[in-house]
Amino acid sequence: MATHKTRMLIIGSGPAGLSAAIYGARAGMEPIVVQGLQPGGQLTITTDVENYPGFRDVIQGPWLMQEMQAQAEHVGTRMMWDTITEIDIQGGSPFTAKGDSGDEYVGDVLVIATGAQAKWLGVEGEQEWSGKGVSACATCDGFFYRGKKVVVIGGGNTAVEEALYLTNHSDDVTLIHRRDELRSEKILQERLFKNPKISTLWNKTVERFEGDPAKGLTHLVLKDTVTGEESTFETEGAFVAIGHAPATELFKGKLPMDDSGYLLVEPGTPKTAVPGVFACGDVMDHTYRQAVTAAGTGCMAALDAERFLATLDFAKEAAE
């Protein structure tokens, strides 16, 4: 067991955490990044990435995260293969975290970049065809289904928004919902029902995803929630849109959250209710959830952290 001290402790190693690390290292804060259960974040399970600025051709998600990590390390970041299991922020700066390894991490500022995970149905074929016709992000992957027949699974705001977005690429979008009415906001429902490119399948659940190794996803097997009858539905793309779960279990009772578990921050900033603790990326953003927006808030967290430390240092010098 060892104690690792730093001016900037970052929990999470996706685009937000690594961007914070790059800016923090360049500011001389010698950040430590504790990588967590999924080093690199959600992009490590994303294949083609075509909307991250700076790359003319399609790039691979895992490669992008490897490059971000290499850049962070190049400018002075220390990467730690560990998962934080306990955190103490109540006493203010410095903040202490304990890893699954038994090691302790102490930071003058804390940047939370633990991200969020898309919720999946957990049915047969879902993971097998992930990236081959099954996705959980229309904004990320919808472009690859231009002119194709696609479906969206869900009935809340996320599902309706994804269906509406997909009409930019497809003239044949079907929303599949397990009930006979949607849970989304009325204004979104109105837009959905008025859109001639979208049709709805009510009282249906997805039993499994099936496909062809050469073609990818080819169809869904559906079950009627009223009659129990099974049917098949041909499609080239399926978007699971039943929400996201932010990785904030560690901070329950310690930082304010909204009803869905996302960390609350001062509007327009990554500042949490505890001075010196900053949240960036999907852990505080339930609206955009893009790699580029996560990276942007990571940059903001580092800049605000630098200002916080400067104020802290000035106060200490004045007191001496």
Side-chain angles (χ1 to χ4, degrees):
M1 292 186 291
T3 298
H4 310 277
K5 294 185 177 181
T6 176
R7 300 233 73 190
M8 174 188 274
L9 176 60
I10 302 169
I11 306 176
S13 55
L18 292 178
S19 295
I22 291 165
Y23 276 81
R26 287 174 56 82
M29 289 187 277
E30 299 180 335
I32 287 177
V33 172
V34 183
Q35 294 184 288
L37 290 171
Q38 189 177 12
Q42 293 186 75
L43 272 184
T44 58
I45 57 171
T46 302
T47 50
D48 294 345
V49 175
E50 203 169 28
N51 57 5
Y52 197 86
F55 300 96
R56 177 174 51 188
D57 297 321
V58 176
I59 57 174
Q60 299 299 299
W63 176 86
L64 178 60
M65 297 319 300
Q66 288 172 11
E67 291 298 299
M68 277 194 191
Q69 179 177 326
Q71 184 180 5
E73 290 177 307
H74 178 71
V75 292
T77 300
R78 284 184 285 166
M79 306 297 297
M80 307 299 291
W81 293 86
D82 207 348
T83 301
I84 299 301
T85 56
E86 296 178 34
I87 190 83
D88 181 10
I89 60 176
Q90 304 309 109
S93 178
F95 307 101
T96 303
K98 184 173 285 188
D100 185 60
S101 65
D103 284 7
E104 190 173 75
Y105 303 88
V106 181
D108 294 332
V109 294
L110 175 65
V111 175
I112 302 167
T114 47
Q117 296 288 338
K119 294 179 182 177
W120 295 95
L121 298 171
V123 301
E124 183 182 340
E126 187 173 44
Q127 295 307 311
E128 178 185 353
W129 300 108
S130 178
K132 304 170 187 175
V134 178
S135 171
C137 181
T139 312
C140 312
D141 300 328
F143 179 81
F144 300 110
Y145 296 88
R146 285 183 299 172
K148 296 183 178 181
K149 182 178 181 179
V150 297
V151 303
V152 176
I153 302 152
N157 284 350
T158 299
V160 175
E161 287 169 352
E162 299 259 281
L164 289 167
Y165 173 80
L166 285 167
T167 59
N168 294 315
H169 305 295
S170 170
D171 292 333
D172 191 346
V173 179
T174 302
L175 183 71
I176 300 173
H177 187 40
R178 59 183 175 175
R179 299 189 178 92
D180 59 1
E181 61 180 1
L182 300 174
R183 295 176 288 106
S184 62
E185 296 172 1
K186 293 299 181 184
I187 190 168
L188 288 174
Q189 293 188 39
E190 290 173 9
R191 292 174 189 166
L192 180 95
F193 295 138
K194 286 180 181 177
N195 195 308
K197 297 180 181 179
I198 302 175
S199 56
T200 53
L201 274 180
W202 302 108
N203 299 317
K204 297 285 191 298
T205 59
V206 178
E207 290 293 288
R208 58 188 178 274
F209 297 86
E210 296 185 344
D212 182 296
K215 299 178 181 178
L217 180 74
T218 56
H219 63 276
L220 314 178
V221 176
L222 305 177
K223 183 177 182 179
D224 192 295
T225 59
V226 177
T227 66
E229 181 183 352
E230 284 196 356
S231 59
T232 59
F233 190 88
E234 292 186 1
T235 185
E236 294 170 277
F239 294 85
V240 179
I242 56 175
H244 286 71
T248 52
E249 189 70 29
L250 193 61
F251 308 100
K252 284 188 176 177
K254 298 175 181 179
L255 287 171
M257 304 177 185
D258 67 12
D259 293 339
S260 298
Y262 289 87
L263 294 178
L264 295 176
V265 294
E266 184 182 311
T269 81
K271 299 175 184 177
T272 70
V274 176
V277 177
F278 306 91
C280 55
D282 288 7
V283 77
M284 47 72 78
D285 172 22
H286 54 74
T287 304
Y288 301 104
R289 296 193 300 267
Q290 299 298 299
V292 67
T293 51
T297 57
C299 163
M300 293 162 64
L303 294 177
D304 281 344
E306 183 184 3
R307 296 185 184 111
F308 174 84
L309 288 177
T311 302
L312 206 64
D313 291 343
F314 181 78
K316 286 180 181 176
E317 290 172 5
E320 291 176 354

